[in-house]
Amino acid sequence: MALENIEWLDPLVDRERNRELEKYAKQVLGLVPPHAPYLAACPWILRADIHFDTAMAEIQDLADNIYLVVSRDNSCRWCYGASRLLMRLAGMSNAQIEKVEEDVELSRVEPRLRAGLEFARRVSRSNPAPDPASIQALRELGFSEAAIKELALFAAVVVFHNRFATLLALPVSTAERLAPFARLLRFLPLGKLNTLLRAQPRVTAAAPADDKGPFADLTMALGDLPHARVLRDTLDAAWASPILPARTRALIFAVIARGLENDSAEAEARRLLAEEGLESPLVVEDILANLASPELDARESRILPYVRETIWYQPAPVQRQGRALREVLTNAELLDTIGTAALANLVGRVSLALELT
Amino acid sequence: MTSVWGLIAAALALAFAAAWWRGRVRARVLRAALEAKSQDLEQLQMSFARFAPEEIVERVVAEGVTPHGERKEATTLFADLVGFTTLSESIEPDVLVRILNGYFERMSRAITGHRGHISTFIGDGILALFGALQPNPWQANDAVHAALAMREELADYNRELAAEGLPTLSVGIGLHRGSGVAALVGSRDLMQFTFVGRIVNLAARVQDLTRRFEVDILLTRAVKDTLDGRFELRELPATAVRGIEGEVEIFAVERFRGEA
């Protein structure tokens, strides 16, 4: 089913030019993605978007389907449209894509794909989170430990894409309009995009062994998976972003960890809060229990109730809530808030799954 | 002779082509109908997901209704109109239904606007759940905010009713938090996703106490213990309620000091 009937508002942020970021995108992709101007004011989000691609080490055969199914599950019109467009560009017909979706829906797919998709959906929904039985089911089908980790990480990466695209209400029209003409587009000079469509696992440096950055336990547990290093770099870039203070960022992570009932992610967020001077467990508990406290500044008091809405949502209502927040935040602050919430949802979900491996 | 065979071959070819074309058109029509039905089903599934957890909806779609329950922590809100039975005997049925539907509409808005889920309408009563569809560590705050929003909605609605010369309404709301079993229950013909357990009964019993203490919103100690300190509460005498061992600690909700 296409998602065109789902209500989707106009973009929440203004378009801006960021020539340095455009140059970077062109270096990596060979073109500037049409949504780049919407992310220009907070560059780490676009960089993460570019590097969290579908190049897998262990589950390359499942990646496209996971991206499509999880995006559809999260009602992300932007990601779903982009995913369909990429599948068309890769040579699939509309009928073939619909057949894939139908097969997935009716569980008419081979057991490895079915199990992979079920697990990915479970990571994405986290309601309930994956349990030991779901991990065991994957093992029995021959998934290695590395493959299970990559599956969990990739599902959470799609959650990240879905979150920032939906929360910002990125314009869906481009992908939805272009999809029917994708065969013609294949002949256009689209830079390195064609190469990326046939994504090959990249050789990436593993996260450093003496990793001490935010959520280092998680990134080290992911080992040398291609996206593990991207996650490390993204967390570091987010933390280095000068737009929101580190304390606000840690609070966003803590709220989402609390909402997902993820104790280990909450403990790490509390450690980061302590580093920023918010050390009293009672004060932090008051903030997390009520999403309000005299200790919060005016901006945090508005941001925290909003970020809890990013855990589970319907697109249009959460976009309206984001629009209300836009009235009190700058373009860059709203982008950084939404990017951080998307990243915290990634981290919260993947770490819940990884605790079981 | 050759021309006769040629004609026969041409006619056969034409017939085959026509049959092939008809088949293609028919397949296209059937495919379109199938897609339309599939979209309807998906829409239905998405609508249904507002009333039950996605996993349950999917399980029902895939396997039909199977016995499955899950223990969860939730906050229940039970609301009942005060004196509505007497009122219902004194006004025209059409007017009664209009008043009741207007009431349900406003109360539903207040509940869903604070992440609650209406489990069922029982006569003029409402059973709403917070934290039953998704884990919700803020469920107690959400439920009490919903109760306060219901108070405001009812005040607005009463102004409308009074302006029309219709009788006004008053509501009693009881809240309790605890563990129960979330499940699809009912008969083969009528199923609903609801919560089963002591917490539902206790919320209903606490709601009954609103009459005795002449307040509109009452909650138990279990709700108070996880509640934002900015809610102004008034402690009332612990009271025995039917079917529950010991006395129940209850608190009347006055107001919220701050932005909801």
Side-chain angles (χ1 to χ4, degrees):
Chain A
M1 184 199 79
L3 298 179
E4 287 95 346
N5 296 330
I6 290 180
E7 192 188 1
W8 192 270
L9 306 192
D10 290 332
L12 268 59
V13 286
D14 305 324
R15 291 165 61 93
E16 286 179 30
R17 288 296 301 268
N18 181 333
R19 289 182 199 285
E20 196 188 329
L21 192 61
E22 286 174 13
K23 196 173 149 196
Y24 181 77
K26 212 161 184 177
Q27 268 173 11
V28 180
L29 296 176
L31 53 80
V32 180
H35 59 287
Y38 293 101
L39 307 178
C42 185
W44 70 264
I45 304 174
L46 185 68
R47 286 171 191 264
D49 178 40
I50 290 171
H51 289 293
F52 277 135
D53 57 19
T54 53
M56 300 285 112
E58 306 282 338
I59 55 156
Q60 190 64 66
D61 55 324
L62 309 181
D64 287 343
N65 283 312
I66 289 174
Y67 198 96
L68 188 75
V69 167
V70 171
S71 297
R72 201 177 103 158
D73 217 37
N74 283 324
S75 302
C76 182
R77 275 178 66 178
W78 191 83
C79 296
Y80 178 78
S83 178
R84 279 183 70 106
L85 178 62
L86 290 177
M87 286 168 103
R88 294 289 324 266
L89 285 169
M92 288 177 80
S93 68
N94 264 334
Q96 283 172 313
I97 298 172
E98 273 155 26
K99 174 85 169 54
V100 167
E101 290 188 301
E102 204 174 289
D103 288 347
V104 166
E105 197 61 38
L106 301 173
S107 294
R108 282 190 313 225
V109 290
E110 47 96 16
R112 176 178 157 82
L113 177 56
R114 186 166 60 221
L117 290 173
E118 274 173 17
F119 186 76
R121 277 176 154 171
R122 196 145 180 184
V123 170
S124 161
R125 291 176 180 174
S126 290
N127 180 29
D131 58 15
S134 45
I135 300 275
Q136 190 53 34
L138 291 175
R139 285 186 184 129
E140 282 167 12
L141 282 164
F143 281 83
S144 65
E145 293 305 297
I148 294 171
K149 285 180 183 177
E150 188 165 52
L151 189 54
L153 177 56
F154 186 59
V157 162
V158 183
V159 163
F160 170 75
H161 284 284
N162 294 166
R163 290 279 174 306
F164 81 74
T166 301
L167 300 174
L168 290 169
L170 289 182
V172 287
S173 53
T174 318
E176 285 177 0
R177 278 190 202 141
L178 287 178
F181 311 106
R183 281 203 176 158
L184 297 174
L185 291 174
R186 293 179 70 195
F187 300 105
L188 293 176
L190 291 176
K192 295 178 191 164
L193 199 61
N194 278 330
T195 320
L196 289 172
L197 289 175
R198 291 170 208 87
Q200 297 297 316
R202 281 170 286 107
V203 179
T204 52
D210 60 343
D211 185 356
K212 288 192 176 64
F215 296 92
D217 286 351
L218 171 65
T219 50
M220 285 199 289
L222 289 166
D224 54 4
L225 293 171
H227 280 176
R229 185 58 196 248
V230 179
L231 179 58
R232 176 70 273 147
D233 292 345
T234 301
L235 283 162
D236 290 342
W239 245 267
S241 168
I243 302 166
L244 289 180
R247 180 180 110 145
T248 308
R249 209 174 299 283
L251 281 168
I252 293 173
F253 271 80
V255 168
I256 286 169
R258 172 66 62 99
L260 289 169
E261 299 183 332
N262 183 335
D263 294 341
S264 64
E266 186 180 318
E268 172 66 355
R270 280 171 175 262
R271 185 189 69 76
L272 294 163
L273 283 170
E275 278 183 6
E276 298 304 319
L278 207 50
E279 286 172 79
S280 161
L282 284 176
V283 170
V284 176
E285 183 52 36
D286 182 41
I287 293 171
L288 296 183
N290 302 313
L291 305 176
S293 162
E295 296 292 325
L296 297 177
D297 64 32
R299 186 171 52 185
E300 290 167 342
S301 298
R302 294 297 300 265
I303 287 176
L304 297 196
Y306 166 74
V307 296
R308 79 165 274 201
E309 307 295 345
T310 69
I311 302 171
W312 294 287
Y313 54 76
Q314 294 294 323
V318 80
Q319 287 165 356
R320 284 192 195 95
Q321 285 158 334
R323 180 151 290 162
L325 195 60
R326 176 75 176 85
E327 288 165 16
V328 292
L329 300 184
T330 64
N331 210 38
E333 286 170 341
L334 183 64
L335 267 172
D336 209 7
T337 299
I338 285 175
T340 304
L343 188 57
N345 273 286
L346 182 168
V347 165
R349 281 166 165 84
V350 73
S351 65
L352 272 177
L354 245 61
E355 278 173 12
L356 302 167
T357 60
Chain B
M1 193 65 182
T2 316
S3 62
V4 173
W5 282 114
L7 274 173
I8 292 171
L12 277 174
L14 209 62
F16 275 128
W20 174 79
W21 180 251
R22 270 203 305 273
R24 222 177 114 100
V25 170
R26 192 172 157 72
R28 203 182 303 147
V29 170
L30 285 174
R31 175 113 209 138
L34 191 66
E35 271 173 20
K37 290 288 174 206
S38 165
Q39 284 200 6
D40 287 350
L41 190 66
E42 291 236 15
Q43 285 289 337
L44 197 64
Q45 197 169 327
M46 281 163 72
S47 306
F48 192 20
R50 297 208 314 268
F51 306 105
E54 280 165 308
E55 293 235 321
I56 290 186
V57 177
E58 281 190 358
R59 198 175 298 132
V60 170
V61 171
E63 305 163 18
V65 178
T66 53
H68 175 82
E70 200 179 335
R71 193 162 285 285
K72 284 192 168 187
E73 170 94 4
T75 299
T76 49
L77 178 156
F78 196 90
D80 202 32
L81 284 172
V82 180
F84 194 74
T85 310
T86 317
L87 184 71
S88 67
E89 286 158 5
S90 63
I91 50 177
E92 289 299 313
D94 288 354
V95 178
L96 178 84
V97 170
R98 186 160 65 85
I99 293 176
L100 206 52
N101 284 347
Y103 164 77
F104 282 142
E105 179 69 35
R106 284 160 178 79
M107 296 305 108
S108 302
R109 193 161 57 209
I111 291 164
T112 54
H114 290 88
R115 304 161 202 87
H117 146 249
I118 294 176
S119 170
T120 187
F121 296 118
I122 310 160
D124 56 283
I126 301 170
L127 173 62
L129 305 168
F130 295 78
L133 294 186
Q134 285 145 346
N136 179 358
W138 304 285
Q139 55 180 264
N141 289 340
D142 286 344
V144 183
H145 278 304
L148 288 174
M150 289 167 77
R151 177 193 279 170
E152 278 184 28
E153 286 276 1
L154 188 63
D156 279 351
Y157 190 41
N158 276 338
R159 278 190 284 276
E160 280 179 36
L161 292 174
E164 285 186 60
L166 293 169
T168 57
L169 307 173
S170 68
V171 70
I173 299 171
L175 297 128
H176 180 56
R177 178 175 180 158
S179 167
V181 173
L184 271 181
V185 296
S187 68
R188 201 176 54 181
D189 300 325
L190 180 61
M191 303 291 297
Q192 68 179 48
F193 174 74
T194 192
F195 224 67
V196 188
R198 197 177 107 110
I199 66 163
V200 179
N201 299 337
L202 189 46
R205 299 278 175 258
V206 168
Q207 180 278 136
D208 285 339
L209 295 176
T210 57
R211 277 93 164 146
R212 188 196 302 182
F213 291 101
E214 295 182 336
V215 294
D216 59 348
I217 307 170
L218 277 180
L219 52 82
T220 61
R221 161 72 65 185
V223 179
K224 181 190 179 289
D225 282 349
T226 53
L227 205 56
D228 189 335
R230 291 174 297 167
F231 283 103
E232 269 183 30
L233 306 177
R234 179 163 49 93
E235 187 164 5
L236 296 170
T239 307
V241 296
R242 187 160 50 89
I244 306 290
E245 210 175 295
E247 292 185 326
V248 180
E249 289 181 79
I250 48 172
F251 304 82
V253 181
E254 304 283 346
R255 66 191 184 103
F256 182 69
R257 284 174 284 117
E259 271 184 62

